[in-house]
Amino acid sequence: MPAIANPSLLILLHHHHHHHLRPRRFATALLPQTLLSLLSSSIRAPALRAHSTSSSAQTQPLSTDNARTGRSGSISSPPVQPDIAQKIDINPPKGTRDFPPEDMRLRNWLFNNFKELYCFEDRGNRRVALRPELTPSLARLVIQKGKSVPLPLKWFAVGQCWRYERMTRGRRREHYQWNMDIIGVPDVTAEAELISSIVTFFKRIGITASDVGFKVSSRKVLQEVLRGYSVPDHLFGRVCVIIDKMEKIPIDDIKKELRSAELSEEVIEELLQVLSVKSLEKLEEKLGTVGEALVDLKQLFSLAEKYGYADWIQFDASVVRGLAYYTGIVFEGFDREGKLRAICGGGRYDHLLSTFGGDNIPACGFGFGDAVIVELLKEKGLLPELSPQVENIVCSLDQDLRGTAAAVASILRQKGQSVDLVLENKPLKWVFKRAARINAQRLILVGSAEWQKGMVGVKILTSGEQYEVKVDELE
Amino acid sequence: MPAIANPSLLILLHHHHHHHLRPRRFATALLPQTLLSLLSSSIRAPALRAHSTSSSAQTQPLSTDNARTGRSGSISSPPVQPDIAQKIDINPPKGTRDFPPEDMRLRNWLFNNFKELYCFEDRGNRRVALRPELTPSLARLVIQKGKSVPLPLKWFAVGQCWRYERMTRGRRREHYQWNMDIIGVPDVTAEAELISSIVTFFKRIGITASDVGFKVSSRKVLQEVLRGYSVPDHLFGRVCVIIDKMEKIPIDDIKKELRSAELSEEVIEELLQVLSVKSLEKLEEKLGTVGEALVDLKQLFSLAEKYGYADWIQFDASVVRGLAYYTGIVFEGFDREGKLRAICGGGRYDHLLSTFGGDNIPACGFGFGDAVIVELLKEKGLLPELSPQVENIVCSLDQDLRGTAAAVASILRQKGQSVDLVLENKPLKWVFKRAARINAQRLILVGSAEWQKGMVGVKILTSGEQYEVKVDELE
């Protein structure tokens, strides 16, 4: 399947000349993704529930430009008393947005996360950023293509991504990311197929199931626990993002954050217990057999058996992944020695396209960076030796024959052969040295005596065999 | 030869917290190139010859932070009278730079040209820009590799480049650029080889010498004219950049600019006459036979004959190319119908590496964008039809056999075959439709009756031929 075209510049926000931050036409497709994909630190801010624009403006100085603005149509109207039975148009002025506290928290959080983005304002006053990942571009493309591409789509892409991060082993500010996504398949067969692709890739480069594993879970596990305790659905994404930090921050901080997300002690204890589950049998004890979480997971493990990669995957309820948009199966590749950070990760994101304003299309995918895998290959001594390889080195024995050597090179190239043409007058010793260094298979020597007969000298460099041949007969 | 690794972020300047603009360690390798490569508009500023830092600071407000600073070691010394016979340390304070007028003009010009760059300050206060072209990265890499890579290097790269420009046909803000460079060959054989590569590429995609030509000249032509009139060498690059604008701005403006570069009317007339020359014979009449310009050009045309692309190239003295770093042969691919802007361009840049602080290594190269060539292919009706191609589409006839179908897909993939596995329960009609759309060569059907015998159904989609085969025998 073809790679998708990924322009690297994401337009985040249009910075209006009146300093109102408002989304542009494209921004509807782009911003929400960025919001969602980074939804990790906003939840630390205390949840102000006040919904008035003025409280937003007071608590959030950044929004003053905008938040106090009345609706343009009613600017000259007399002040309206809330107890008067008159309909108030509750919309903000056309083309502007209010930032009630929950939106403002999101906006502050987003702006704070610009730290990790390479973002700036271009000469047309658009706020743009170098893409930190490829999924937003994919989502935009899929929505743009709309119904002209029959589903399912099975697309991959390899593109550069940028994040301004502290650099550690296998984490750089610029990396290439291999993405593979299946758009339009609601069944867990799609996730199974994605993991199969990664396993196939690993096998091809010499990595085995004893080097690498996949931790697999489903976000529906958490969802079912939360629903069991009647925790409202809108808290779900937020809880997932907190849980994802389990291995990075102390458990007490996790609990504190969960409490601030209005979870009771009972729910928090149950959640943490479920998260420690490492087998489907235990999970079944916890959740019963009927929920989608268990059905999906069982099907995935059964498919893995058929595909032949069952030994690569293991259930681990603690895996939730950091991106807020995942809705079902989530997985994460890890090195079994535990020396490196996650090698790859992915999952199902069934609501992402509709969040962006597209149709409600099921989807799943993964991202796989080039940096950690190279570290792993080094670690395992599996880095291949890739020496240069050239079929021919062509050289004239005489300065006057350099053009002729060029003609010979041209003939060989037209036959599809690779040629390193010696462009300078160099002694044969130098030519042999270079031939060895580029692993040339044969040396073609253009000398005047041979050339007068329409012939060239050939030396097979591996065997040392030497002969003369008509130029037309060179294959 | 391997493609070079090109980080897309160029560090331009370190924006020091004291607001002194000073180069960082990498900047020595990067800044000059950017300066050079964009050296097109600075020359319009009147040439202030005053060399004092204070006049610089007065005429150029941007430099006030820096230009007046005394040397740190002498801060507490008493003021020094110029008539006292005492040595004055004329260096700026360690780690800072003065901006005398000629440097300041360059700096202003550079900052003005940031308009065309996607440039911004990163979170570490580095001024960075998305690379507008690949040569700076190449130069950096070559200098960094130093003597560990034996010359000559023959490298190519295909990388994304960004320019914030008015968008026109074949000119977008993001494009991929194919670059090819030969580092370490002083002879014109290198340029001949580069042009040969482009011609080979054109032929491969169906473009002929009647579609596209190369205008070829040498900057040494201008140099010899200027030297003939004793015009100082330092004006050379500046004159080239003015001349490059010949087709873009009125001839009177060109003359005005040349006058402001201190060229006499006589020299200007002679220059313009030489630039109108379109044959080597005429050029020989003008310059005589001894100069390097003519020797180089004659050799290039003679090599082109041998390579077999003489009908693609023509001498045209008006070609000088816009980048200031070229020193010898310059060339430019154009469509013969004159509908499009230059298709590609390149030339010799023998001084670039030493300007960057590297050894004095001869080099030449070209850049070739992906946008104009696609326009040309459309224009000529030569855009290929590239339909998806998949060897197998694998489908189970029964939901229970989906895992088995996955196993079959797995086996085929291990044999190196491409497989589109149907991941949903779909009617056969749908499967055939999809098979047609992806141009699948055969359909593998996994049904329970056949599977019990360890067999699958195969339908060759081109011929309609149908048979059953053991899974292990599927090739």
Side-chain angles (χ1 to χ4, degrees), chain A residues 417-475:
Chain A
Q417 298 251 336
S418 60
V419 177
D420 186 11
L421 174 64
V422 177
L423 299 168
E424 292 170 276
N425 291 310
K426 292 285 189 184
L428 263 183
K429 196 181 152 196
W430 183 94
V431 176
F432 276 106
K433 212 168 144 193
R434 180 164 177 97
R437 206 173 44 75
I438 63 173
N439 294 311
Q441 285 162 31
R442 59 180 179 180
L443 169 63
I444 315 285
L445 285 170
V446 183
S448 57
E450 295 83 3
W451 188 245
Q452 277 165 12
K453 298 179 281 172
M455 301 187 92
V456 292
V458 175
K459 186 178 172 112
I460 307 297
L461 292 164
T462 41
S463 63
E465 187 194 351
Q466 247 176 308
Y467 53 90
E468 285 178 18
V469 67
K470 292 235 176 231
V471 177
D472 324 333
E473 288 161 17
L474 262 178
E475 285 306 324

Side-chain angles (χ1 to χ4, degrees), chain A residues 7-8 120 123-124 150 152 154 164 174 186-187 189 193 306-307 402-403 406-407 410 413 420-421 423-424 434 437, chain B residues 7-8 120 123-124 150 152 154 164 174 186-187 189 193 306-307 402-403 406-407 410 413 420-421 423 434 437:
Chain A
S8 292
F120 57 100
R123 301 287 156 178
K154 297 168 181 177
Y164 190 86
E174 176 183 62
D187 305 357
T189 46
E193 179 82 338
K306 300 281 188 173
Y307 270 105
R402 288 207 288 182
S410 225
R413 285 169 181 158
D420 186 11
L421 174 64
L423 299 168
E424 292 170 276
R434 180 164 177 97
R437 206 173 44 75
Chain B
S8 291
F120 56 102
R123 300 289 155 175
K154 297 168 181 177
Y164 190 85
E174 177 184 62
D187 305 356
T189 47
E193 179 82 337
K306 300 280 188 176
Y307 269 106
R402 288 207 288 185
S410 227
R413 284 168 180 157
D420 185 12
L421 175 65
L423 299 168
R434 182 166 176 96
R437 207 171 44 74

Side-chain angles (χ1 to χ4, degrees), chain A residues 189-367:
Chain A
T189 46
E191 288 94 319
E193 179 82 338
L194 289 175
I195 297 174
S196 162
S197 304
I198 307 177
V199 170
T200 302
F201 162 75
F202 278 138
K203 284 183 180 167
R204 198 170 292 163
I205 61 170
I207 301 277
T208 69
S210 60
D211 302 318
V212 162
F214 293 87
K215 293 177 186 167
V216 180
S217 185
S218 168
R219 287 223 171 154
K220 289 174 186 165
V221 170
L222 288 184
Q223 200 172 34
E224 286 171 23
V225 173
L226 295 177
R227 281 183 183 164
Y229 287 86
S230 304
V231 174
D233 269 3
H234 74 264
L235 289 173
F236 173 61
R238 197 171 152 189
V239 170
C240 288
V241 175
I242 300 172
I243 298 299
D244 182 59
K245 290 184 284 190
M246 288 262 287
E247 285 183 11
K248 291 161 209 156
I249 65 176
I251 188 69
D252 285 345
D253 291 349
I254 296 284
K255 286 183 181 174
K256 215 154 84 188
E257 288 200 27
L258 289 171
R259 267 176 226 124
S260 80
E262 294 167 49
L263 263 49
S264 71
E265 291 304 321
E266 192 192 1
V267 181
I268 292 174
E269 279 316 309
E270 178 62 18
L271 260 187
L272 295 181
Q273 276 211 18
V274 169
L275 288 170
S276 69
V277 172
K278 308 270 184 221
S279 79
L280 287 181
E281 297 70 38
K282 276 261 170 67
L283 189 70
E284 190 163 341
E285 286 171 26
K286 288 267 173 208
L287 300 181
T289 49
V290 289
E292 282 182 23
L294 202 74
V295 171
D296 283 0
L297 286 162
K298 278 188 166 174
Q299 203 199 335
L300 182 61
F301 279 83
S302 148
L303 284 165
E305 202 82 53
K306 300 281 188 173
Y307 270 105
Y309 63 77
D311 49 339
W312 291 73
I313 68 171
Q314 62 195 59
F315 174 72
D316 187 331
S318 72
V319 171
V320 294
R321 301 294 298 157
L323 299 175
Y325 54 60
Y326 289 125
T327 54
I329 297 288
V330 279
F331 56 88
E332 176 171 303
F334 67 100
D335 76 306
R336 295 200 190 268
E337 285 191 79
K339 290 185 179 172
L340 301 165
R341 52 191 283 265
I343 298 168
C344 58
R348 177 162 290 278
Y349 52 92
D350 280 349
H351 303 328
L352 187 62
L353 285 155
S354 60
T355 310
F356 277 21
D359 290 344
N360 196 13
I361 301 171
C364 56
F366 67 79

Side-chain angles (χ1 to χ4, degrees), chain B residues 109-168:
Chain B
W109 159 83
L110 174 69
F111 285 16
N112 289 335
N113 276 291
F114 281 171
K115 275 201 295 284
E116 295 205 347
L117 289 182
Y118 277 96
C119 73
F120 56 102
E121 202 165 292
D122 78 4
R123 300 289 155 175
N125 295 325
R126 291 171 204 91
R127 282 200 63 84
V128 293
L130 302 181
R131 59 180 178 213
E133 56 153 330
L134 297 176
T135 317
S137 311
L138 174 69
R140 180 167 41 71
L141 194 53
V142 170
I143 290 169
Q144 189 196 82
K145 290 275 170 191
K147 294 190 169 51
S148 72
V149 279
L151 299 178
L153 306 178
K154 297 168 181 177
W155 283 358
F156 74 90
V158 179
Q160 270 179 295
C161 298
W162 292 268
R163 275 185 209 176
Y164 190 85
E165 292 184 298
R166 201 169 57 86
M167 287 188 282
T168 58

Side-chain angles (χ1 to χ4, degrees), chain B residues 281-308:
Chain B
E281 294 72 37
K282 274 261 171 65
L283 189 71
E284 189 163 342
E285 285 171 27
K286 289 266 175 210
L287 301 181
T289 49
V290 289
E292 281 182 25
L294 202 75
V295 170
D296 283 359
L297 285 163
K298 278 187 166 175
Q299 201 198 335
L300 181 63
F301 279 82
S302 148
L303 285 165
E305 201 83 52
K306 300 280 188 176
Y307 269 106

Side-chain angles (χ1 to χ4, degrees), chain A residues 402 406 413 419-424 426 430 434, chain B residues 1-2 4 135 138-139 142 149-157 178-198 300 303 307 309 326-327 329 331 346-353 360-367:
Chain A
R402 288 207 288 182
R413 285 169 181 158
V419 177
D420 186 11
L421 174 64
V422 177
L423 299 168
E424 292 170 276
K426 292 285 189 184
W430 183 94
R434 180 164 177 97
Chain B
M1 298 286 139
I4 61 168
T135 317
L138 174 69
V142 170
V149 279
L151 299 178
L153 306 178
K154 297 168 181 177
W155 283 358
F156 74 90
W178 168 35
N179 273 236
M180 205 160 193
D181 295 85
I182 298 177
I183 315 282
V185 177
D187 305 356
V188 82
T189 47
E191 288 95 319
E193 179 82 337
L194 290 175
I195 298 175
S196 163
S197 305
I198 308 177
L300 181 63
L303 285 165
Y307 269 106
Y309 62 78
Y326 290 125
T327 53
I329 295 287
F331 57 87
R348 177 163 290 278
Y349 51 92
D350 280 350
H351 303 329
L352 188 63
L353 286 155
N360 196 13
I361 300 171
C364 55
F366 67 79

